[in-house]
Amino acid sequence: PRLMEHETNRERAVAYVRMSTDQQDYSIKNQMEAIEEYAEKNHLKITEIFKDEGKSGVQLKGRAAMVSLLELVRSGKADFKHLLIYDVSRFGRFQNADEAAFHEYEFNRAGIYVHYCAEDFINDGTAISSWFKMGKRMEAGSYSRNLSEKVFRGQCNLARMGFRQGGTIGYGLRRMRVNAQGEHLGILEKGQYKAIQTDRVVQVLGPEEEVKIVRWIYDSFIKKGKSEKEIAGLLNRKGIKTDLGREWCAASVLQILTNEKYIGNNVFNKTSGRLSNLRSFEKRRVVKTDREQWVRAENVFPAIIDASSFRIVQNIINERTRKYSNEELLDKLKKLLSCRGKVSGILIDEEEWMPSSAVYSHRFGGLLRAYELIGYSPQKDYSYIQINKYLRNLHAGILEKMETGFEKYGAFVEKNIVDDGTRWINREIKIMLNVSRCRRMESGRSRWLIRLERLDDVDFFIIARMNADNKTVKDYYLISRFDRESIDSKINEENSFFMEAFRHDNMDWFYQIFSRTHISTLIK
């Protein structure tokens, strides 16, 4: 709500500005001019400015200023009563309008009013204001989706014309900037981009030394039957680096062997992150597209490799990577065990005739399960893997139980935007839960390890110590941030009096500390 004209004391306010691209209409300067004028008219004093420059408003991720602002409000330490924003779209172009409403509600719940300074409605909570605001939010989200689709269509047309649409160029190749007439204007080095909008980028051959290396990779794979790993090893021994200045690995060699740009083709839309592909409640993400959706322009760039050699390589790789049945996978695993006398993830990945260890892990729910199916028991005890997996799931259950415990006594529990296992209690105290599994020593005694995160804003660390079966909680250790440096990193069956001071059979007493009592009740 606007403040009354007769109010003389200026209330504290902060401004939030965001600009995704260098658009004059939405420049930081223009936004601040409108915000400052609004503040002056409404007797508000701007004490701080939160800026997200060059950041999209489609999602909260990556907008450090808005995330910082929200966390400040959630902590209960905000010392201002008003948030000034240029318009609804600057708050965010969230694809789900309810997300924008939720974040604004967080400010309102903390007693902070949100002002949209350049909008033609007053954000006063009335029905008409809410209708206008919801319409603006939907319009802001729709704008991003429509823009995403327009940009994508333009990129597809340019790709068909033989112009590159982003991405790393690759070893043996270079990016060349050309003007509207197709004239070469110079090589773009790593990190450089075209400055003129009408210019385009095409692919050209790189230095002759790199071109020879690419051809040598294909010859080694086809004629000499060398694997990607063997080729990478030979390149590394020669001191040759990749286009990123790194050592070669099987994946970097495979990328050269499978990318059509080495035969002069321009392929676009292998992956997609378009907003138009998402439903309103889905998070934006990059996904692989079907081959039918790829945009391909053939023979538009100078080729390093001839098409027939490229086809031979693809046939070899496709045959090698065909999908095996469960029975075939287990037969291969048995064969490896027979040849080597043992099995491990490293041994599986070393054999070219074997599918990768990741295939076994994905198909059978873990390597240990695959070993079990062929009757193989590793000498090393891997039971801790299953225990750790169980404890990760248990962690969420204990945390939920603790939340219920706090709320039972009237406390208010919140988590951060990114759930890192911490919780805010009454917007005053931040806690973190760690689960410590029981380790059996050779002596037969038990030991528990304490690992406390180096987070300066955590007030209390709660350690749930597990019983010997690692299924149930034995007890709890409550450690403040002030005691973090002085405690032992290991808990034994019998501990010093100092360590015992932190131990508790349950957390009920801790929940009660945060109970709320009405002042009027105390007065009576």
Side-chain angles (χ1 to χ4, degrees), residues 11 16 46 52-53 72 100 119 167 208 214 252 267 271 296-297 308 315 326 342 385 387 394 398 401 419 495:
E11 288 196 316
Y16 172 77
I46 300 175
D52 275 324
E53 299 185 67
L72 177 62
E119 296 289 6
E208 183 61 27
V214 172
S252 53
V267 182
T271 60
R296 179 185 284 103
S308 60
N315 290 336
N326 288 357
K342 61 180 180 178
I385 297 177
I387 293 173
L394 184 66
I398 297 175
K401 181 180 177 181
D419 191 358
N495 301 284

Side-chain angles (χ1 to χ4, degrees), residues 211 231 279 295 329 335 348 431 438 441 452:
V211 172
I231 293 171
R279 289 172 288 184
V295 177
L329 287 174
K335 182 180 177 182
I348 292 172
I431 66 169
C438 179
M441 311 304 291
L452 303 182

Side-chain angles (χ1 to χ4, degrees), residues 37 83 154 170 175 182 190 249 251 271 358 365 391 399 485 488 519:
E37 181 181 351
L83 172 62
R175 295 176 301 147
K190 183 181 177 182
C249 63
T271 60
L391 292 181
L399 200 54
E485 303 297 335
D488 298 331
I519 294 178

Side-chain angles (χ1 to χ4, degrees), residues 129-182:
S129 167
S130 298
W131 276 106
F132 271 116
K133 189 164 53 178
M134 181 56 71
K136 291 283 186 178
R137 286 171 178 157
M138 296 179 69
E139 181 182 337
S142 177
Y143 171 84
S144 293
R145 288 193 297 275
N146 292 337
L147 181 62
S148 174
E149 191 62 29
K150 289 178 181 178
V151 169
F152 172 70
R153 290 177 181 175
Q155 288 177 318
C156 289
N157 290 332
L158 291 172
R160 294 187 183 99
M161 295 168 64
F163 298 120
R164 284 186 55 83
Q165 298 305 303
T168 55
I169 186 63
Y171 189 83
L173 303 170
R174 293 294 186 271
R175 295 176 301 147
M176 173 67 71
R177 184 167 61 95
V178 299
N179 59 19
Q181 289 73 42

Side-chain angles (χ1 to χ4, degrees), residues 335-403:
K335 182 180 177 182
L336 178 63
L337 177 60
S338 176
C339 294
R340 295 295 191 96
K342 61 180 180 178
V343 178
S344 70
I346 296 175
L347 291 177
I348 292 172
D349 291 332
E350 282 182 348
E351 295 293 346
E352 295 303 326
W353 52 272
M354 286 287 294
S356 71
S357 59
V359 171
Y360 283 95
S361 182
H362 176 73
R363 188 73 67 86
F364 299 105
L367 286 176
L368 293 179
R369 175 57 180 162
Y371 299 162
E372 183 183 331
L373 290 173
I374 64 169
Y376 174 68
S377 298
Q379 292 182 350
K380 185 176 179 181
D381 183 10
Y382 288 97
S383 60
Y384 71 92
I385 297 177
Q386 299 298 332
I387 293 173
N388 288 346
K389 183 177 181 181
Y390 173 81
L391 292 181
R392 282 194 294 271
N393 295 328
L394 184 66
H395 181 277
I398 297 175
L399 200 54
E400 185 177 345
K401 181 180 177 181
M402 291 177 61
E403 290 175 3

